[in-house]
């Protein structure tokens, strides 16, 4: 099944792109071939490098962002049984920003192509069409009376297991909002943050920072800017975190907030302190990350 991302101003919508059975089969084969080239070169796996600000493009290797926020909820949209509107080729085609599908060989992998304007065919478009079978043996320059799209020869990005892979940051950012990932993340700054008198952890800050991903480190400047660790007591922060749906359980030890060694629990703490959680006004049983429709993940406390 082929999907599309429609972007009209600030509005973003995922739609289904209907295909005939033979076109669907052909597109699956093309996307699968492109996925193979994306990750491999002549049978050898390309090196995967975590994205750093300043390193925006590579041809030989693959860049990736760990713990990528799927704020478009692509993973939910492509699940079997999810009902989506079909694209309206007359009104929405010119707003088509990307096409994507689940990798035919890997259900946990989603393959994206950037849909540039030159690949969109609208009624009235002038092009060379083969007409030899009907009107002689020559090509004819003619107006196209139907709409369509032309597939690219390569993938722009791949989403898999919480990571976003790409070769060109510029092209990937035309599909996803990646502006926040241009902010540099400093291990030294994170260590200073972990030395806050309001925090404690198992081991030293220097040991704890080794568990932090770049994405987690980027939340630290926001936490420091908001200053909630200084404004509220650990007990008050714990009380407020419990109001999130599903609630975030903050552990307190010696009147200090505990920075968890568990990844999901740590991300929940950082999301809460960086004020990126927005309460739902529809009372649908969950809260969301601000500027997205990405529900807060329920954290299951690891067994001892």
């Amino acid at each position: 099944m082929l999907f599309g991302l429609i972007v009209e101003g600030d509005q973003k919508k995922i739609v289904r792109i209907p295909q005939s059975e033979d076109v669907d089969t052909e597109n699956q084969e093309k996307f699968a071939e492109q996925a193979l080239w994306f990750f491999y070169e002549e049978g050898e796996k390309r090196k995967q490098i975590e994205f750093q600000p300043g390193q925006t493009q590579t041809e030989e290797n693959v860049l990736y962002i760990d713990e990528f926020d799927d704020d478009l909820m692509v993973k939910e949209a492509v699940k079997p049984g999810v009902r989506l509107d079909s694209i309206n080729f007359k009104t929405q085609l010119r707003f088509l920003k990307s096409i994507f599908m689940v990798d035919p060989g890997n259900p946990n992998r989603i393959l994206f192509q950037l849909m540039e304007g030159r690949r969109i065919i609208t009624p009235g478009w002038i092009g060379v069409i083969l007409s030899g079978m009907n009107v002689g043996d020559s090509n004819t320059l003619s107006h196209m009376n139907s709409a369509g799209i032309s597939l690219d020869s390569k993938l722009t990005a791949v989403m898999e297991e919480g990571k976003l892979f790409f070769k060109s940051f510029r092209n990937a950012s035309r599909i996803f909002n990646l502006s926040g990932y241009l902010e540099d993340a400093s291990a030294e700054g994170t260590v200073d943050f972990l030395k806050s008198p309001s925090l404690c952890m198992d081991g030293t800050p220097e040991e704890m920072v080794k568990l932090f991903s770049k994405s987690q480190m980027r939340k630290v400047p926001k936490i420091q800017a908001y200053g909630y660790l200084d404004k509220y007591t650990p007990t008050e922060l714990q009380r407020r975190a419990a109001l999130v749906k599903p609630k975030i359980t903050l552990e307190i030890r010696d009147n200090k907030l505990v920075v968890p060694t568990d990844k999901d629990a740590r991300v929940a703490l950082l999301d809460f302190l960086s004020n990126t959680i927005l309460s739902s006004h529809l009372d649908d049983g969950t809260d969301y990350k601000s500027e997205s429709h990405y529900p807060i993940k329920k954290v299951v406390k690891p067994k001892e």
Side-chain angles (χ1 to χ4, degrees), residues 283-302:
D283 195 23
D284 57 0
T286 190
D287 289 344
Y288 297 86
K289 292 188 178 181
S290 60
E291 300 182 359
S292 78
H293 295 288
Y294 191 63
I296 299 302
K297 181 178 180 180
K298 182 176 182 180
V299 177
V300 179
K301 188 175 181 180

Side-chain angles (χ1 to χ4, degrees), residues 203-223:
T204 66
E206 289 77 11
E207 293 170 336
M208 172 59 71
V209 77
K210 296 178 182 178
L211 300 180
F212 274 62
S213 66
K214 291 294 184 182
S215 296
Q216 292 170 28
M217 289 184 188
R218 290 190 185 97
K219 293 183 174 71
V220 169
K222 296 180 182 179
I223 295 174

Side-chain angles (χ1 to χ4, degrees), residues 9-220:
D10 295 332
Q11 301 299 314
K12 299 181 180 181
K13 181 180 182 180
I14 294 177
V15 296
R16 183 174 59 87
I17 302 179
Q19 306 174 96
S20 63
E21 185 175 347
D22 58 330
V23 170
D24 183 35
T25 300
E26 183 177 344
N27 284 341
Q28 287 191 47
E29 293 174 353
K30 288 182 177 179
F31 271 76
E33 290 175 1
Q34 292 175 11
L36 188 63
W37 177 87
F38 189 91
F39 286 107
Y40 291 86
E41 183 178 19
E42 297 181 355
E44 292 190 10
K45 191 172 184 179
R46 298 180 188 272
K47 185 177 180 181
Q48 298 180 4
I49 304 172
E50 186 169 8
F51 171 74
Q52 305 285 347
Q55 184 177 15
T56 58
Q57 188 160 339
T58 179
E59 290 297 331
E60 298 81 10
N61 305 314
V62 181
L63 301 175
Y64 71 89
I65 294 173
D66 196 13
E67 298 177 23
F68 176 69
D69 283 338
D70 178 18
D71 58 354
L72 297 174
M73 295 193 71
V74 174
K75 289 181 291 186
E76 296 297 319
V78 301
K79 286 183 178 180
V82 175
R83 298 185 64 180
L84 297 171
D85 293 335
S86 295
I87 186 172
N88 186 319
F89 282 102
K90 291 183 178 180
T91 62
Q92 294 181 314
L93 188 59
R94 63 193 180 99
F95 298 110
L96 184 63
K97 184 64 65 176
S98 173
I99 58 174
F100 55 94
M101 70 165 55
V102 176
D103 188 337
N106 184 346
N108 296 317
R109 179 184 288 173
I110 306 172
L111 314 175
F112 296 84
Q113 282 192 9
L114 176 66
M115 189 52 53
E116 299 175 292
R118 60 189 174 88
R119 299 194 175 279
I120 296 176
I121 303 170
T122 56
W125 181 81
I126 298 179
V128 178
I129 59 173
L130 285 173
S131 58
M133 294 183 64
N134 297 317
V135 288
D137 298 322
S138 63
N139 293 338
T140 304
L141 190 64
S142 173
H143 285 281
M144 301 287 287
N145 294 320
S146 58
I149 57 177
S150 172
L151 268 63
D152 200 345
S153 60
K154 59 184 181 298
L155 298 179
T156 303
V158 174
M159 187 183 293
E160 181 180 9
E161 300 295 342
K163 293 182 178 180
L164 182 71
F165 299 90
F166 53 89
K167 291 179 174 293
S168 168
F169 182 88
R170 177 179 177 275
N171 288 339
S173 64
R174 294 170 68 182
I175 302 175
F176 308 97
N177 180 11
L178 303 182
S179 58
Y181 296 98
L182 285 174
E183 300 173 9
D184 201 1
S186 165
E188 292 78 10
T190 304
V191 168
D192 290 341
F193 162 72
L194 293 172
K195 291 180 179 179
S196 166
S198 299
L199 300 175
C200 68
M201 64 219 67
D202 294 332
T204 66
E206 289 77 11
E207 293 170 336
M208 172 59 71
V209 77
K210 296 178 182 178
L211 300 180
F212 274 62
S213 66
K214 291 294 184 182
S215 296
Q216 292 170 28
M217 289 184 188
R218 290 190 185 97
K219 293 183 174 71
V220 169

Side-chain angles (χ1 to χ4, degrees), residues 253-273:
R253 185 191 305 162
D254 297 328
N255 201 31
K256 297 181 179 182
L257 286 179
V258 176
V259 180
T261 55
D262 176 71
K263 172 185 172 182
D264 290 340
R266 186 170 60 254
V267 169
L269 170 66
L270 296 174
D271 281 341
F272 176 70
L273 292 178

